[in-house]
Every structure is written in C-alpha cells, then in structure tokens.
Amino acid sequence: MKKFFSKIILFLIMCLYIAVLSKLILFKYIPLTQIIEHFNFTYDGYHWRDNNFVPFKTIKFYLYLADVNPNIRIENLVGNVVGFAPFGFILPLLSKRFQKLSTVTFTTFCLSLTFEMMQLIFEFGSFDVDDLILNTFGGVLGYIPIKIILIMAKRKKNTK
C-alpha cells in the first residue's frame, strides 16, 4: 500500500513538473490570458526565419560567438539541461519500463520534440534543434544519479 501511495505522489509531482515546464517553455512570452489567440494556424513567413534547424548552431553561438550578457548564455544553455533533469530522474521511479538509459533518452527526446513542435506550429516561441540536444542531455543527466541509487539499493537488498 505504501508503494502505491508513493507512485501516486510521484505521478502528481510529475504532473506539476510538466505543467511548470510547459509554462516556462511554451508560455514564457505569452500571458496565460492570450494563449487561445495563438491557436490560429495562420502562415507567417517571417516566423520561420526565427527557428534553428542546424544542430549545434545555437550552442556554438552562445559558447564562442555571442557578445551577450553571461546570464543569457547560462539561461539558454544550462537552463535547457537543468530543466529536463527532473524528468530523467522521476521516470525510472514511476515505472520499471523506464529503467534503461535508452528508454529515458528516447522519452526525454520525445517530450522535448513535442515542446519544440508546439513552439513551431503555434508560434509560442521558436524551434531550436539545439534545445532538443540540450534537453535530452538534461534528461540523461537526471537519469544517472537515480540509476546509481537504484543499483546500490538492489545490491544492498541482494546482500541481505
């Protein structure tokens, strides 16, 4: 019974996390009262120029070329990694299906791709393939400590 309630609490934490992540990614520039207006499916050729489909272009820009405030660099690079680390951490705790690195990596990539596609289609922001890379890397970084903890707990259980 205790395990059941733990899973429910983890599920609720995951739901809250996804809601906060959605606000931070999709609606960071849009007041919540104006969200509905963005579901108009109109073509704006200019919007397509704001997107990045070239891998490592944005990462390279912020690491080597950008003459911007360091806080903006950190927010754009580290923020994408740190933002998805909880996802990689919580998934293996929620279900045994997410015990493998490849599964967590793929699932994190799919979540990130969903956010990026929504930004592209609904013009909530801009699509950036580098965000996919950084977000997926963040999910992997979140997975590593929980996997180590789970392996250690299994070894401890087996030695009893």
Side-chain angles (χ1 to χ4, degrees):
M1 193 64 141
K2 183 180 174 184
K3 192 173 183 178
F4 176 74
F5 286 116
S6 297
K7 294 283 183 179
I8 289 175
I9 290 170
L10 273 173
F11 178 75
L12 292 174
I13 290 170
M14 180 65 95
C15 290
L16 178 63
Y17 163 75
I18 296 292
V20 169
L21 197 62
S22 297
K23 170 62 178 133
L24 293 173
I25 293 173
L26 298 176
F27 310 120
K28 62 183 165 192
Y29 302 119
I30 304 167
L32 293 175
T33 56
Q34 296 178 1
I35 291 171
I36 299 298
E37 297 171 19
H38 281 272
F39 292 99
N40 58 17
F41 297 101
T42 58
Y43 175 73
D44 179 10
Y46 180 77
H47 171 71
W48 289 91
R49 286 184 248 154
D50 293 336
N51 299 293
N52 173 34
F53 301 100
V54 179
F56 301 104
K57 179 180 177 184
T58 305
I59 295 170
K60 198 180 321 178
F61 174 76
Y62 281 119
L63 286 177
Y64 305 113
L65 306 173
D67 188 24
V68 296
N69 184 330
N71 292 339
I72 294 173
R73 289 179 188 205
I74 291 168
E75 182 181 319
N76 282 291
L77 296 175
V78 178
N80 281 306
V81 174
V82 171
F84 277 75
F87 189 71
F89 188 87
I90 296 171
L91 273 180
L93 296 174
L94 271 176
S95 173
K96 291 186 188 268
R97 289 182 281 184
F98 298 106
Q99 296 293 314
K100 289 183 170 181
L101 176 62
S102 59
T103 307
V104 171
T105 302
F106 179 73
T107 307
T108 306
F109 176 82
C110 288
L111 177 65
S112 179
L113 182 61
T114 300
F115 281 130
E116 293 301 316
M117 293 304 294
M118 289 179 75
Q119 288 183 88
L120 181 67
I121 293 167
F122 299 117
E123 299 183 14
F124 290 140
S126 58
F127 178 95
D128 191 341
V129 70
D130 289 349
D131 287 351
L132 285 170
I133 295 166
L134 293 169
N135 296 343
T136 304
F137 181 64
V140 169
L141 285 181
Y143 169 81
I144 292 170
I146 197 62
K147 186 61 176 182
I148 292 170
I149 291 167
L150 291 171
I151 289 170
M152 289 171 52
K154 188 175 182 179
R155 283 186 184 161
K156 185 176 179 182
K157 186 179 176 182
N158 289 340
T159 59
K160 286 185 176 182

